[in-house]
Amino acid sequence: MRQDDRVTDRDAVPLDPASMRKQYRAEGLAEFDLAATPVAQFARWFQQAATQAHLFEPNAMIVSTANAEGHPTSRTVLLKHFDEQGFVFYTNYDSRKARDLAENPYVSLLFPWHPMARQVIVTGIARRTGRDETAAYFRTRPHGSQLGAWASAQSSVISTRADLDASYAELAARYPEGEQVPVPPHWGGFRVAPQAVEFWQGRENRLHDRLRFVAEADGGWRVERLSP
């Protein structure tokens, strides 16, 4: 055995997060570069993240909610649609995030496009999508994902992984591949209507560009530049 092979994790030098540094790009984001609306600007950056930077799951976003007592939680969820009315994701309506939103509809969405030194932060109000819209999306999901929406009582405590697998196997036997799976009544979408959308571009020397669209009472948008 080589001496190196005897080194354990306990003996290894711990990583120092304070020493981890990356220098961000020189070019930034100017007000005159922005699209007319935050959704149009998001569409532009989203397209670049997906087709130019080839990011893994560029539609992955961190959804942060808080309950009636103000206790926050965050998790990663996949964006499934966006337009001028808002940003849509789907979940179990009995999940913790959905319970939070039932008590407090204010939500934050964060798109962490780190390889591009970019972030988009959406803050707004979440409302459930209609059942027709939910059903239309559910039909596009892979068969296994449709079964998974039934098999998982999301956010609830379970005894073992075997219980979850057994629930899925029972559903797979009841609804084999090719047979239509009904839409779960406890599952559906949320649309986040944005009140503010911040576009964050990392810059050299930590002097980042932060441009924020803020909704106006007349339906328009005001653009603000934030200090980094």
Side-chain angles (χ1 to χ4, degrees):
M1 178 185 296
R2 296 179 307 171
Q3 184 172 355
D4 290 347
D5 295 332
R6 293 195 298 269
V7 175
T8 66
D9 289 341
R10 187 174 57 184
D11 301 320
V13 176
L15 293 173
D16 177 14
S19 67
M20 296 178 179
R21 294 183 176 86
K22 295 289 184 181
Q23 186 66 285
Y24 297 144
R25 59 199 292 172
E27 67 274 18
L29 180 64
E31 285 81 351
F32 60 78
D33 289 328
L34 292 174
T37 69
V39 172
Q41 179 63 33
F42 178 86
R44 182 183 298 172
W45 271 21
F46 183 74
Q47 177 80 9
Q48 293 171 357
T51 64
Q52 297 179 20
H54 302 289
L55 299 189
F56 177 73
E57 292 192 328
N59 59 328
M61 59 186 183
I62 299 168
V63 177
S64 297
T65 59
N67 62 16
E69 288 73 42
H71 300 156
T73 55
S74 298
R75 73 289 290 163
T76 301
V77 176
L78 296 179
L79 174 73
K80 289 303 178 180
H81 179 73
F82 67 91
D83 56 26
E84 293 295 337
Q85 282 65 56
F87 299 79
V88 178
F89 65 92
Y90 292 86
T91 187
N92 186 311
Y93 284 146
D94 294 324
S95 67
R96 181 168 183 175
K97 72 178 83 62
R99 294 197 306 269
D100 281 357
L101 292 173
E103 298 176 356
N104 176 2
Y106 293 95
V107 63
S108 174
L109 313 177
L110 168 64
F111 294 86
W113 296 329
H114 300 310
M116 305 176 73
R118 285 179 176 175
Q119 300 180 76
V120 180
I121 304 167
V122 179
T123 53
I125 296 177
R127 296 285 186 265
R128 290 188 181 190
T129 59
R131 293 309 293 172
D132 289 346
E133 184 176 355
T134 289
Y137 169 69
F138 187 80
R139 296 288 173 234
T140 70
R141 285 164 63 92
H143 182 73
S145 296
Q146 293 181 9
L147 297 178
W150 279 101
S152 172
Q154 195 175 88
S155 300
S156 65
V157 176
I158 58 176
S159 299
T160 66
R161 170 73 193 205
D163 292 342
L164 179 63
D165 292 339
S167 176
Y168 182 89
E170 179 182 343
L171 287 159
R174 188 186 313 169
Y175 302 106
E177 188 77 42
E179 186 166 330
Q180 181 168 293
V181 180
V183 181
H186 56 272
W187 187 94
F190 281 100
R191 173 173 284 102
V192 179
Q195 296 179 323
V197 184
E198 178 185 331
F199 293 88
W200 184 102
Q201 175 66 71
R203 297 289 304 274
E204 291 180 330
N205 304 315
R206 298 299 186 261
L207 298 178
H208 315 306
D209 284 323
R210 299 175 60 189
L211 297 182
R212 180 172 64 187
F213 286 84
V214 179
E216 300 273 44
D218 63 0
W221 296 93
R222 178 178 77 255
V223 176
E224 302 172 332
R225 175 172 286 273
L226 304 178
S227 176

